[in-house]
Amino acid sequence: MSKERFEELLTEFHRIPFEERQARLAKWCDLDPQELQILKGVNALPVETAEHFIENVVGVFPIPMGVATYFNIDGRDVFIPMAVEETSIIAAVSSTAKWLRKMNGKITTETRGNLIIGQIQIPRVGDVESAVQSLMARKIELIEQGNSIVPGLVARGGGVRDLLFRCLPREDGTGSMLVIHVMCDPCDAMGANLINQVCEGLKPEIEAITNEKVGLCILSNLVDGKLAYAKVEIEGIDPEVGYGIQEATQFAKSDPYRAATHNKGVLNGIDPILIATGNDWRAVEAGIHAYAARSGSYQPVTDWKFDGKKLVGEFLAPLAVGTVGGVTMLHPTARLSLKIMGVQNADGLARIAAAAGLVQNLGALKALATVGIVKGHMRLHAANLAMAAGASEDELPRLKEELSFVLTREKRISLSRAKEILEVIRSTTH
Ligand code: COA
């Protein structure tokens, strides 16, 4: 379908009734009625399936799923499914994508590298040099042995590619430890289970070669051999906004207290996609934060520069996701999320997540550098406050409207204020 058709589908998208929103999504993504039922939560995750995923299952936990609109990534229009409980994330990212579209801004992405890392640790090494030399001499053999543990992955074109050796001084000052990095291409899997098996499988051979005792064998979530990159370029914007966004980045570069919140804003755009696709968001979070701190000081994972004409934003960080393995293919909604995005492989998913993170960050910085975050966020959060105050379905619209007035007038709203207003509404309508 054409660009015009996509934009037509987005008209009033957040104002139209749920059923129509689903119908438009179905048109664009070719979803059948059964798939729309799954999105509604019907058989979204049957308990029998959930029983296979985790232990001690006593139920399933529903979370709202929306789609981010107006995205054009690498020249392709795309709806992005986001499963998230927080108000204003989807509105903000959609609003920013709309702004980019209106301004003819560009979102481009790529992945850099395809290798995940497994660590085999030798906690105490007498003679590091000779241990490394012995391992180097048998490197090819060890790689082959590693690959023999994951024949399915090798058949798909992946597998162990290299071994790297790192000598680390022990923190307790009692000599050195040797850490062997097993560099592996996991193809479209996130790769944790594959790499852990390779590392444990290589342990006996490594002990035999070095005559040393192996300690831990486990993947590293600091996946700096497999990075996702996204870039936003936009021209013709108000210089005050452009410089404001650049200045906000300077703040994050200078101060870890700000950088943590800056990166949380980036993750507002990433985590909901990981959840919607059944990916391990804890692993990605750990990887992104470790990458942000790799210089020794915690830094923002995005950078924004404005030269008076053009605003350029970049995101670069590990985004180890999978489109096969784990529950990605087993969770009905996760499978549907990939279909909605038209994603074919793990790289494609990582690129969309990187773009969403960067655009989400742009939206937050734009708000912070201009009107502040409270206005937009709290206007949408008013619906939650109205519900928490105990408003019935009939009372909700009126209470939301009243809260919106209060927010404009008093610049703040709270649950207690919502309760007060609800009482007034009730006393005047009964
Ligand atoms: N639901 C979904 N999308 C919404 C929306 C809502 N309730 N409100 C706005 N949008 C999106 C839409 O794409 C809309 O375009 P459309 O109406 O053509 O579909 C676009 O935003 C602009 O709408 P508008 O009504 O002009 O929004 P706004 O300028 O009043 O902005 C926010 C509202 C919330 C988007 C804006 O204040 C914002 O981005 N604030 C920052 C909030 C933030 O960063 N939150 C992150 C967590 S704190």
Side-chain angles (χ1 to χ4, degrees):
M1 271 190 242
S2 66
K3 181 171 177 282
E4 291 70 32
R5 184 80 187 101
F6 185 66
E7 286 174 10
E8 211 176 286
L9 288 177
L10 300 183
T11 313
E12 300 288 314
F13 193 80
H14 61 97
R15 292 186 191 89
I16 56 178
F18 172 84
E19 300 289 345
E20 196 181 334
R21 215 177 286 140
Q22 271 214 336
R24 290 197 194 174
L25 184 72
K27 248 187 221 163
W28 184 257
C29 307
D30 203 17
L31 305 180
D32 62 34
Q34 200 192 336
E35 290 172 324
L36 292 182
Q37 285 296 103
I38 292 175
L39 287 182
K40 274 185 188 167
V42 181
N43 283 327
L45 180 58
V47 166
E48 302 74 50
T49 313
E51 285 267 41
H52 297 296
F53 286 1
I54 62 162
E55 309 74 38
N56 296 350
V57 168
V58 290
V60 289
F61 183 85
I63 190 167
M65 186 163 115
V67 283
T69 49
Y70 290 102
F71 266 87
N72 181 288
I73 302 174
D74 298 314
R76 188 169 75 88
D77 290 323
V78 59
F79 278 110
I80 305 179
M82 298 176 86
V84 67
E85 86 299 341
E86 190 181 348
T87 321
S88 92
I89 286 180
I90 294 178
V93 82
S94 301
S95 168
T96 315
K98 183 182 178 186
W99 180 58
L100 282 172
R101 190 176 274 261
K102 195 174 123 212
M103 301 299 291
N104 287 319
K106 230 168 61 184
I107 308 172
T108 48
T109 64
E110 61 189 52
T111 48
R112 297 181 180 174
N114 56 356
L115 299 180
I116 61 169
I117 300 165
Q119 296 193 297
I120 302 173
Q121 178 220 20
I122 303 179
R124 293 178 186 280
V125 197
D127 184 346
V128 178
E129 225 166 274
S130 107
V132 171
Q133 263 174 16
S134 324
L135 288 166
M136 284 290 276
R138 306 277 293 278
K139 188 163 143 175
I140 306 282
E141 223 175 287
L142 284 166
I143 290 175
E144 279 168 5
Q145 194 181 331
N147 281 329
S148 72
I149 298 164
V150 283
L153 177 63
V154 174
R156 289 200 301 278
V160 181
R161 297 281 186 258
D162 201 1
L163 300 180
L164 306 177
F165 304 98
R166 298 169 62 230
C167 174
L168 306 176
R170 287 183 59 85
E171 192 273 336
D172 57 12
T174 59
S176 303
M177 67 175 76
L178 179 62
V179 182
I180 302 153
H181 276 195
V182 181
M183 308 301 291
C184 177
D185 176 356
C187 292
D188 290 322
M190 182 267 194
N193 295 332
L194 294 164
I195 196 75
N196 288 342
Q197 290 176 70
V198 169
C199 290
E200 286 196 9
L202 288 176
K203 174 179 169 173
E205 194 63 23
I206 286 180
E207 286 185 333
I209 295 171
T210 57
N211 233 347
E212 301 281 2
K213 193 163 165 33
V214 163
L216 271 55
C217 295
I218 185 79
L219 90 159
S220 169
N221 288 120
L222 177 50
V223 201
D224 56 6
K226 192 173 197 262
L227 300 173
Y229 173 80
K231 185 176 188 181
V232 160
E233 294 164 275
I234 177 168
E235 287 185 73
I237 61 171
D238 179 350
E240 210 173 308
V241 173
Y243 284 120
I245 291 167
Q246 175 172 271
E247 187 53 34
T249 317
Q250 285 300 313
F251 184 7
K253 285 179 181 177
S254 308
D255 182 6
Y257 285 91
R258 172 58 207 150
T261 321
H262 179 108
N263 288 345
K264 193 276 180 181
V266 176
L267 287 159
N268 274 344
I270 294 176
D271 283 352
I273 303 173
L274 304 180
I275 295 170
T277 55
N279 268 281
D280 182 346
W281 73 94
R282 285 92 50 215
V284 172
E285 287 263 352
I288 287 185
H289 293 303
Y291 190 74
R294 69 196 183 286
S295 67
S297 87
Y298 188 84
Q299 290 290 304
V301 287
T302 65
D303 194 9
W304 292 94
K305 290 202 173 75
F306 185 64
D307 63 6
K309 284 201 172 81
K310 188 174 179 181
L311 178 70
V312 178
E314 293 177 290
F315 166 95
L316 182 66
L319 258 171
V321 293
T323 50
V324 298
V327 304
T328 46
M329 275 293 133
L330 304 175
H331 194 303
T333 319
R335 266 202 320 265
L336 260 180
S337 293
L338 293 178
K339 180 171 175 183
I340 289 170
M341 285 182 281
V343 155
Q344 311 294 342
N345 52 36
D347 273 7
L349 177 57
R351 289 165 61 170
I352 289 181
L358 184 60
V359 173
Q360 189 84 56
N361 177 233
L362 175 60
L365 296 187
K366 183 166 165 269
L368 286 168
T370 53
V371 292
I373 207 94
V374 171
K375 185 169 159 259
H377 179 74
M378 289 309 278
R379 190 166 58 79
L380 293 172
H381 187 57
N384 292 349
L385 289 180
M387 273 197 295
S392 65
E393 276 298 316
D394 289 347
E395 292 165 334
L396 272 176
R398 169 99 191 267
L399 182 53
K400 271 166 59 182
E401 198 182 333
E402 294 288 340
L403 283 170
S404 185
F405 287 139
V406 171
L407 182 63
T408 311
R409 205 172 51 235
E410 299 172 12
K411 307 281 176 245
R412 63 196 175 93
I413 47 174
S414 64
L415 181 57
S416 53
R417 195 80 175 88
K419 284 181 178 165
E420 273 171 35
I421 300 169
L422 182 59
E423 269 181 38
V424 174
I425 292 174
R426 283 179 177 166
S427 68
T428 53
T429 48
H430 291 301

